[in-house]
Amino acid sequence: MSMHRSLLRREILPFLFSFLALILFTILIDAALHRAGLVAVGRWLGIPGTVLILASFGYSARKRKLIRRGGAKAWLRSHEVLAWTGVLLVLVHAGVHVHAPLPWLALGAMLINVLSGLTGTWLLQRSRRRLEARREDYRAQGLSEAEAESRLAWDAVSYSLMRKWRTVHLPITVVCGGLALIHVASVLLLWGWR
């Protein structure tokens, strides 16, 4: 029973908290802007939000060795924080004032992308911890390294498959980016530039 509680506390609750905090902060910031009579400010938050989301791709550049400085963990944490904050600003930007299908599609794709990223990160961390815990258990039982690895073969295959979740996350990111680009282009084309 305590293992289930620790699983809930260590893994499921942080995942849910991160997504729910994103939605709650969006609502609170949007409400504060409305209350202060600064609704127009929300319209401009899409720009810094987009810049932060783009900056979060530094992690992808680091993974592909286009950037050589810094550790992978620091880049991953930076990716998570920049993307979360950027999405928050874009959500406030969208608010409930979207009156066309394209922005709704872009917003929906972005939320699916966020859920994909959070889910992938959560599942990958969980798989890695489970694999390491089982490896330690086998060592504690006195099994040889070869025997432990043999028993862990299916877990290792599962972990290897989990590492490929990015093959789902990447296309979602591309669709989200494409819809966002079309949204920005349409705003620029239809803007009253007087």
Side-chain angles (χ1 to χ4, degrees), residues 52-161:
L52 289 173
I53 291 169
L54 291 173
S56 79
F57 286 104
Y59 171 66
S60 295
R62 172 63 175 90
K63 275 186 56 180
R64 287 162 182 76
K65 306 223 186 308
L66 299 172
I67 298 174
R68 300 211 182 266
R69 288 203 229 194
K73 282 187 179 185
W75 279 101
L76 175 60
R77 185 69 186 136
S78 162
H79 170 72
E80 293 168 348
V81 170
L82 290 170
W84 191 93
T85 307
V87 167
L88 172 66
L89 294 177
V90 170
L91 286 174
V92 173
H93 161 74
V96 292
H97 313 291
V98 179
H99 304 292
L102 179 61
W104 278 112
L105 286 173
L107 186 64
M110 185 180 66
L111 286 174
I112 291 168
N113 194 30
V114 168
L115 281 172
S116 164
L118 289 172
T119 302
T121 299
W122 177 71
L123 289 174
L124 188 59
Q125 288 173 355
R126 178 162 166 58
S127 297
R128 189 188 82 256
R129 280 196 298 264
R130 177 176 164 75
L131 183 62
E132 288 306 315
R134 293 204 59 203
R135 184 173 280 127
E136 287 303 315
D137 284 347
Y138 290 144
R139 285 180 185 142
Q141 293 172 18
L143 294 177
S144 71
E145 199 66 33
E147 179 65 23
E149 291 305 316
S150 172
R151 289 188 183 186
L152 289 171
W154 285 110
D155 286 342
V157 167
S158 298
Y159 177 67
S160 179
L161 288 172

